Amino acid sequence: MDSSSNEHPATVPSEAKEENEHIIQATKSLRRHMGLPEDPTENPSSATPSSVGPTFWLEVAPPSIRGAKCRLDVCTTNIMPGKYRIAVNPGCHSFRGHQSPDYYHVGCFEKIADFSQEDFVDRVQPVTRNTWQFRNLNASSVLDGNYLLDAGAERLTISWKQAVKKLINERDGVEIEDDTSEAVRDLLDNAGSSKFVPREIPDADAFELRLLSSTLAPNESDGSEDTEEWNLFYEFQMVVDGDQKSLDNRHNLDMTLYLWRDHVTLATSNNLSEELKERKEKELNPKAIRAIKRLMVTPMPDIQGAFRRGL
């Protein structure tokens, strides 16, 4: 018998143990960076306050030759251009005195960030036409279409954050009053449906209203007689309203975005294998393809509006 066959299984637990130790240390480092105690069971007041609280920016990796290194030590795969990633800004690491962002695959970051806790969820922000300046990005790069999330990923990320926070509050017995007006909530939830009737929203930005009513609309309909309208959140959101078990899934954000991007590929690629062509035939009807093609577009900043406002 080949002796190597006896030795190999013994190495697996050792490798898994080492990887787990790396993740534990990375988790502690992130918590320290956030000003939280390393041990989540400790009182937060025992931690050293962070001078600058980091933001967890969800963005699209920009063009580069080799991609960016994932900061999780046990990950050996670079984050390639066009992939979703988390940019922790400011990062834990400094280079020549400059504290640059730390980049992670979304799934890798979920291994060390406890998104069943509000301290972590609150720091997640999508990089969009409205937030890129707070990420301190170069304007020309953003206007070239870099970093910004596509419409589908933007809506799914915001929906994920709201759904997770709602579950956390329900678990912890915290009652939060939603002060969003009915007209705004109706726009966010029902735009694109044949039943949606726009209502006046005082002081709302006209450019943003147009986007939310069109490109960013979560629904797709074939008309007033359509009884099975397509809905972005129903199709891809992995966090289930009212289901506390959703908080136990550490990778629900990565799974949501993966499912969305996977269906973008199915809907738009001209180079599908026979197997994927069969999947497309089974999973995507013309309405779904139409919706995905609309939501895969990246909403850009309102440059003309900014000039008019003198910004």
Side-chain angles (χ1 to χ4, degrees), residues 4 17 26 28 33 51 57 70 74 121 144 296:
S4 64
K17 183 177 180 180
K28 290 180 178 180
H33 188 47
S51 58
W57 292 101
C70 178
V74 294
V121 179
D144 284 339
M296 66 177 282

Side-chain angles (χ1 to χ4, degrees), residues 41-277:
T41 62
E42 289 183 24
N43 190 319
S45 62
S46 65
T48 302
S50 176
S51 58
V52 181
T55 300
F56 306 151
W57 292 101
L58 181 62
E59 62 189 26
V60 175
S64 65
I65 297 175
R66 299 183 184 87
K69 175 177 170 50
C70 178
R71 273 296 180 179
L72 189 63
D73 288 342
V74 294
C75 178
T76 58
T77 305
N78 281 5
I79 308 167
M80 300 309 292
K83 300 294 185 181
Y84 300 126
R85 72 181 185 187
I86 294 288
V88 178
N89 190 35
C92 298
H93 307 81
S94 61
F95 179 71
R96 295 179 179 175
H98 176 66
Q99 209 163 13
S100 57
D102 292 333
Y103 301 117
Y104 297 85
H105 295 98
V106 178
C108 288
F109 191 67
E110 286 176 313
K111 292 180 180 180
I112 64 173
D114 185 0
F115 285 135
S116 69
Q117 301 300 321
E118 196 167 16
D119 284 325
F120 290 84
V121 179
D122 279 342
R123 295 175 186 266
V124 176
Q125 292 293 340
V127 176
T128 72
R129 67 209 164 279
N130 297 322
T131 64
W132 66 270
Q133 290 171 302
F134 301 104
R135 169 70 172 84
N136 296 323
L137 295 170
N138 182 279
S140 62
S141 183
V142 169
L143 294 178
D144 284 339
N146 299 319
Y147 297 99
L148 303 180
L149 294 181
D150 57 81
E154 174 186 336
R155 291 303 310 268
L156 286 168
T157 301
I158 295 171
S159 168
W160 170 86
K161 184 174 180 177
Q162 292 172 338
V164 171
K165 288 188 67 171
K166 182 180 179 184
L167 287 176
I168 291 172
N169 289 332
E170 289 172 353
R171 179 197 64 196
D172 298 343
V174 177
E175 292 188 13
I176 302 294
E177 185 175 344
D178 186 359
D179 57 0
T180 306
S181 72
E182 285 188 20
V184 171
R185 177 51 54 198
D186 189 32
L187 171 65
L188 294 174
D189 293 344
N190 298 318
S193 169
S194 62
K195 303 172 185 63
F196 173 67
V197 179
R199 289 186 271 180
E200 183 179 356
I201 302 176
D203 302 321
D205 181 82
F207 177 79
E208 196 68 15
L209 284 179
R210 284 195 298 272
L211 278 178
L212 289 169
S213 300
S214 54
T215 305
L216 288 159
N219 300 287
E220 188 74 22
S221 175
D222 283 332
S224 58
E225 296 183 1
D226 189 348
T227 58
E228 295 183 351
E229 294 182 332
W230 184 94
N231 179 268
L232 175 72
F233 309 130
Y234 177 80
E235 295 292 335
F236 303 111
Q237 185 57 264
M238 298 300 295
V239 178
V240 180
D241 188 30
D243 183 4
Q244 287 293 319
K245 291 182 179 179
S246 291
L247 294 179
D248 296 332
N249 178 4
R250 289 197 75 117
H251 295 286
N252 49 41
L253 177 57
D254 187 42
M255 290 171 66
T256 294
L257 294 172
Y258 175 84
L259 192 61
W260 159 246
R261 182 59 68 86
D262 176 59
H263 281 72
V264 168
T265 300
L266 282 182
T268 61
S269 177
N270 294 320
N271 192 31
L272 295 176
S273 65
E274 290 303 317
E275 181 181 355
L276 289 179
K277 287 178 181 177

